[in-house]
């Protein structure tokens, strides 16, 4: 008996089990199939001693607080997103460079993990691009770090123009070129801006108008009393760490610590260590 | 050994293939063109030769179509879904419609070749010889009947993997070598082997359409998800446009609820790649057809659900793949 048209096929609500099995997902497997070895990489657990930082790592500042927080998450949930790595050389048991996930690696070491999940890329030519794109989309790189990274990409020929970088990262070209201009500042000035965590666009613009190093140094008062970032400047005298004992437990307020610059943090650390000594 | 010379189609089957034309219309056409039935057919059920059938359907139905998606592969890396069975039906019936068809067996098991009466023990040349440069296309092509040519397969085809891996543009060799043949044929159809192999990568690169044959059961649905993932990634990395996809639900069983569940899943997630409310129903006729090496239209009874579904499928693929002359 054959029935024509729509009656030919019967539909029945699919069970949740079948749905889970059959529902399409953009990527459910990180393992690559034939011919795609260079594109998607392979997932392996790799010993932490085999992992070294990527030579073109854009991120230069690793804030210990953030790593502590990450370590806590890893302790509770494990590493949810694998690191991306490439082989440091062709040899079988060589080390791997971590293209993205150095913070995760540091946190994992801190927690005491011996192995971490890594996606091993076969094709090193994409490494810079991935390192940059993964890091840039988190938006917390210092503008100087960005400038150095962009410049590296152009010099190594991974991108041919500022326009291409802008397209790849979905940014306006004017932003890319403005950032890249920072690379024209003398290395000494760049290091200083980075170490003092100075991010103000006004300061950058002013610096770029100067013709020589001395003028810049004078403006930044290098070697003289420091100019500090906005918030820190307002805190000439302020409470940055408060410990209260309430009902038998210590309550710690330390939010203000985040606005301190590297120098100030270093000093604070020394002071705190002294206190710790007194406790023992 | 089947000889297509001794077999033919009834007026009713011809009418169905010619886009659902009534038997009396076919009868009138036959009379006015003085076409003779096969001498051995019974007087109650006259049958007409392959050559005549192609001419009749060609004039009534096919001539308004010009093939556009010329290269098509019956594809799925899940095995046992019915790729070969459907490729056999579609390729033979496309030829009966009057199209010039080259069907290429790209499965080393060679089942398609067997159904086309080209047997393994004859040690035919295969796609391996053509792609690796040991033979020309013309040398490897076997005529099946008028309008249908075949490059058969046997176990020697397994050697193509190694050969391909040593070639430049190893994902494109089949296209590079077979592209010139497109001027001689309306369609080049491939029956593929159920793996992710270098050969299948070649077929994706060359094809304008993938006819993905999928059973209406859980493994097949899961397989479809993996297939899409892999296909998308491959096309992205090759920087080619993904071939058009036609999912063909196969072996649908009306009495099982898992078939009905599977159809819901297919409609929900893959509706855009399917003919609406269509599946090829499970039928013994398809097996008989494969076993005897006779396309369904040569023997199917009037009420055969298999023939009904195959006719629907064939017309759907024709409409998808051709430009229509207004």
């Amino acid at each position: 008996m054959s029935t024509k048209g729509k009656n030919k096929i019967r539909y029945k609500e699919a069970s949740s089990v079948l749905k889970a099995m059959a529902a399409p997902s953009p990527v459910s497997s990180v393992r690559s199939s034939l011919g795609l070895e260079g594109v998607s990489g392979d997932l392996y657990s790799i010993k932490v001693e085999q992992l070294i930082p990527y030579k073109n790592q854009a991120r230069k500042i690793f804030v210990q607080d953030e790593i502590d927080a990450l370590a806590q998450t890893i302790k509770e949930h494990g590493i949810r997103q694998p690191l991306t790595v490439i082989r440091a050389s062709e040899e079988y048991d060589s080390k791997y460079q971590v293209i993205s996930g150095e913070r995760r690696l540091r946190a994992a070491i801190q927690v005491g993990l011996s192995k971490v999940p890594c996606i091993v890329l076969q094709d090193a030519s994409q490494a810079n691009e991935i390192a940059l794109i993964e890091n840039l989309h988190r938006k917390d790189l210092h503008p100087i770090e960005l400038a150095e990274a962009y410049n590296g990409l152009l010099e190594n020929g991974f991108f041919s123009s500022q326009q291409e970088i802008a397209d790849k990262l979905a940014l306006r070209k004017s932003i890319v070129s403005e950032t890249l201009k920072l690379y024209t500042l003398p290395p000494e000035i760049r290091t200083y801006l980075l170490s003092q965590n100075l991010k103000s666009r006004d300061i950058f613009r002013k610096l770029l108008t100067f013709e020589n190093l001395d003028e810049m140094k004078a403006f930044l008062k290098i070697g003289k009393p420091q100019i500090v970032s906005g918030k820190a400047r307002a805190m000439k005298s302020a409470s940055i760490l408060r410990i209260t004992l309430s009902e038998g437990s210590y309550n710690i307020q330390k939010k203000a610590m985040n606005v301190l610059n590297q120098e100030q943090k270093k000093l604070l650390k020394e002071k705190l260590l002294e206190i710790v000594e007194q406790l023992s | 050994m089947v000889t297509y010379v001794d077999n033919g189609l009834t007026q009713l089957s011809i009418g169905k293939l010619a886009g659902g034309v009534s038997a009396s219309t076919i009868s009138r056409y036959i009379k006015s063109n003085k076409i003779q039935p096969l001498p051995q057919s019974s007087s109650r059920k006259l049958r007409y030769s392959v050559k005549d059938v192609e001419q009749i359907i060609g004039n009534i139905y096919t001539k308004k179509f010009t093939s556009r998606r010329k290269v098509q592969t019956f594809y799925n890396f899940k095995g046992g879904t019915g790729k070969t069975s459907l490729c056999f039906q579609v390729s033979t019936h496309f030829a009966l419609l009057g199209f010039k068809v080259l069907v290429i067996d790209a499965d080393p098991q060679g089942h398609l070749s067997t159904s086309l009466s080209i047997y393994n023990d004859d040690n035919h040349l295969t796609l391996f010889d053509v792609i690796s440069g040991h033979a020309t296309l013309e040398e490897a092509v076997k005529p099946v009947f008028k309008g249908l040519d075949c490059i058969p397969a046997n176990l020697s085809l397994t050697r193509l993997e190694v050969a391909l891996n040593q070639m430049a543009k190893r994902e494109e060799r089949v296209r590079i070598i077979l592209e010139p043949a497109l001027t001689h044929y309306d369609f080049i159809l491939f029956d593929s082997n159920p793996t992710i192999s270098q050969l299948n990568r070649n077929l994706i690169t060359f094809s304008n359409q993938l006819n993905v044959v999928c059973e209406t059961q859980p493994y097949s649905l899961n397989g479809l998800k993996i297939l899409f993932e892999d296909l998308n990634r491959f096309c992205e990395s090759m920087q080619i446009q993904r071939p058009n996809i036609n999912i063909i639900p196969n072996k649908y069983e009306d009495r099982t609820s898992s078939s009905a569940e599977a159809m819901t899943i297919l409609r929900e997630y893959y509706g855009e790649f399917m003919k609406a409310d269509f599946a090829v129903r499970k039928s013994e006729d398809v097996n008989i057809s494969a076993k005897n090496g006779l396309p369904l239209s040569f023997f199917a009874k009037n009420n055969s659900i298999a023939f009904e579904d195959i006719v629907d499928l064939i017309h759907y693929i024709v409409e998808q793949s051709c430009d229509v002359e207004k």
Side-chain angles (χ1 to χ4, degrees), chain B residues 201-242:
Chain B
R201 293 296 197 214
N202 269 270
L203 300 188
I204 296 172
T205 315
F206 188 28
S207 293
N208 310 118
Q209 174 158 317
L210 299 180
N211 295 305
V212 178
V213 185
C214 167
E215 282 173 277
T216 50
Q217 56 96 283
Y219 289 158
S220 248
L221 298 177
N222 184 247
L224 210 50
K225 159 179 152 178
I226 305 170
L227 183 146
F228 264 83
E229 230 171 72
D230 177 69
L231 184 64
N232 287 340
R233 269 203 217 157
F234 177 70
C235 293
E236 220 170 85
S237 85
M238 289 293 294
Q239 301 188 325
I240 54 172
Q241 205 191 349
R242 190 175 73 186

Side-chain angles (χ1 to χ4, degrees), chain A residues 54 56 58 99 124-137 146-171 173 176 180:
Chain A
Y54 182 46
N56 296 341
I99 295 169
S125 70
Q126 294 176 308
N128 269 340
E129 203 175 304
I130 289 171
L132 191 66
I133 290 168
E134 294 222 355
N135 279 324
L136 294 196
H137 281 301
L146 283 181
E148 288 173 6
Y150 291 164
N151 186 67
L153 287 181
L154 288 175
E155 273 188 356
N156 295 334
F158 289 111
F159 293 107
S160 60
S161 66
Q162 296 184 7
Q163 186 63 54
E164 207 183 324
I165 296 180
D167 291 345
K168 260 283 178 335
L169 298 173
L171 293 171
K173 191 189 163 228
V176 174
L180 261 169

Side-chain angles (χ1 to χ4, degrees), chain A residues 1-16 18-37 39-40, chain B residues 196-198 201 218-219 221-222 225 229-230 233-234 237 252 254-257 260-265 267-270 277-279 281 303 305 308-309 312:
Chain A
M1 175 67 204
S2 82
T3 44
K4 264 274 174 193
K6 292 202 166 191
N7 300 331
K8 202 167 85 175
I9 302 299
R10 212 156 52 86
Y11 294 96
K12 182 180 175 243
E13 178 60 34
S15 67
S16 55
L18 191 63
K19 270 190 176 168
M21 192 186 214
S25 58
V27 175
S28 70
S29 153
V30 288
R31 302 221 59 175
S32 58
S33 54
L34 179 75
L36 300 174
E37 295 87 344
V39 184
S40 58
Chain B
I196 300 182
S197 57
Q198 205 61 259
R201 293 296 197 214
Y219 289 158
L221 298 177
N222 184 247
K225 159 179 152 178
E229 230 171 72
D230 177 69
R233 269 203 217 157
F234 177 70
S237 85
Y252 170 84
D254 197 47
R255 49 201 169 73
T256 68
S257 71
E261 268 189 81
M263 288 307 294
T264 307
I265 295 265
R267 185 174 61 178
E268 187 170 330
Y269 297 128
Y270 304 102
D277 299 313
F278 175 79
R281 287 165 286 181
N303 60 357
I305 58 164
E308 181 189 319
D309 290 346
D312 282 351

Side-chain angles (χ1 to χ4, degrees), chain A:
Chain A
M1 175 67 204
S2 82
T3 44
K4 264 274 174 193
K6 292 202 166 191
N7 300 331
K8 202 167 85 175
I9 302 299
R10 212 156 52 86
Y11 294 96
K12 182 180 175 243
E13 178 60 34
S15 67
S16 55
V17 187
L18 191 63
K19 270 190 176 168
M21 192 186 214
S25 58
V27 175
S28 70
S29 153
V30 288
R31 302 221 59 175
S32 58
S33 54
L34 179 75
L36 300 174
E37 295 87 344
V39 184
S40 58
D42 253 334
L43 183 69
Y44 293 106
S45 267
I46 296 177
K47 289 192 194 131
V48 290
E49 341 30 301
Q50 274 183 280
L51 298 169
I52 54 175
Y54 182 46
K55 58 177 190 308
N56 296 341
Q57 166 70 277
R59 187 189 294 277
K60 301 214 159 70
I61 304 172
F62 290 88
V63 180
Q64 190 54 42
D65 264 7
E66 290 172 16
I67 296 196
D68 289 347
L70 198 54
Q72 192 56 37
T73 330
I74 289 174
K75 206 170 177 180
E76 282 167 25
H77 306 289
I79 296 184
R80 301 301 294 263
Q81 194 196 352
L83 288 64
T84 311
V85 303
I86 48 168
R87 270 188 195 284
S89 76
E90 291 295 307
E91 285 135 52
Y92 169 71
D93 56 353
S94 80
K95 304 237 182 220
Y96 295 86
Q97 295 187 349
V98 178
I99 295 169
S100 79
E102 196 170 338
R103 289 166 70 240
R104 271 164 284 165
L105 175 62
R106 289 180 184 219
I109 293 172
Q110 196 166 310
V111 174
L113 296 185
S114 59
K115 284 182 168 184
V116 289
C118 298
I119 291 174
V120 181
L121 287 185
Q122 303 293 327
D123 186 359
S125 70
Q126 294 176 308
N128 269 340
E129 203 175 304
I130 289 171
L132 191 66
I133 290 168
E134 294 222 355
N135 279 324
L136 294 196
H137 281 301
R138 294 203 203 100
K139 287 187 174 170
D140 56 351
L141 284 185
H142 191 280
I144 296 285
E145 290 175 320
L146 283 181
E148 288 173 6
Y150 291 164
N151 186 67
L153 287 181
L154 288 175
E155 273 188 356
N156 295 334
F158 289 111
F159 293 107
S160 60
S161 66
Q162 296 184 7
Q163 186 63 54
E164 207 183 324
I165 296 180
D167 291 345
K168 260 283 178 335
L169 298 173
L171 293 171
R172 283 204 310 276
K173 191 189 163 228
S174 59
I175 293 183
V176 174
S177 69
E178 190 181 317
T179 309
L180 261 169
K181 268 191 205 133
L182 297 178
Y183 192 75
T184 61
L185 294 171
E188 193 181 335
I189 299 295
R190 277 185 270 145
T191 318
Y192 181 78
L193 292 172
L194 207 52
S195 68
Q196 298 303 311
N197 200 18
L198 292 173
K199 289 182 180 178
S200 153
R201 263 168 115 178
D202 291 339
I203 295 180
F204 294 155
R205 283 191 185 140
K206 191 77 192 163
L207 281 172
L208 288 165
T209 61
F210 296 130
E211 305 221 320
N212 62 54
L213 189 60
D214 290 338
E215 277 179 298
M216 292 180 195
K217 276 181 161 176
F219 170 71
L220 290 171
K221 303 195 175 88
I222 295 181
K224 292 177 188 158
Q226 292 185 352
I227 57 165
V228 285
S229 64
K231 276 186 190 165
R233 195 188 309 138
M235 298 188 356
K236 264 182 189 156
S237 145
S239 163
I240 41 161
L241 182 66
R242 182 182 299 221
I243 304 174
T244 34
L245 179 64
S246 122
E247 290 172 16
S249 71
Y250 290 101
N251 203 352
I252 299 173
Q253 290 169 285
K254 53 167 187 173
K255 223 175 178 179
M257 255 166 59
N258 295 339
V259 299
L260 299 180
N261 63 32
Q262 296 298 89
E263 201 75 11
Q264 289 168 322
K265 278 185 181 168
K266 213 170 142 190
L267 211 68
L268 178 64
K269 196 174 174 182
E270 281 168 19
K271 291 283 173 204
L272 286 175
L273 283 173
E274 279 174 27
I275 298 170
V276 172
E277 282 296 309
Q278 290 167 20
L279 286 175
S280 53

Side-chain angles (χ1 to χ4, degrees), chain B residues 47-60:
Chain B
R47 288 182 181 270
Y48 295 85
S49 73
V50 167
K51 186 167 150 270
D52 290 335
V53 168
E54 287 175 12
Q55 191 223 319
I56 298 166
I57 303 179
N59 277 320
I60 294 177

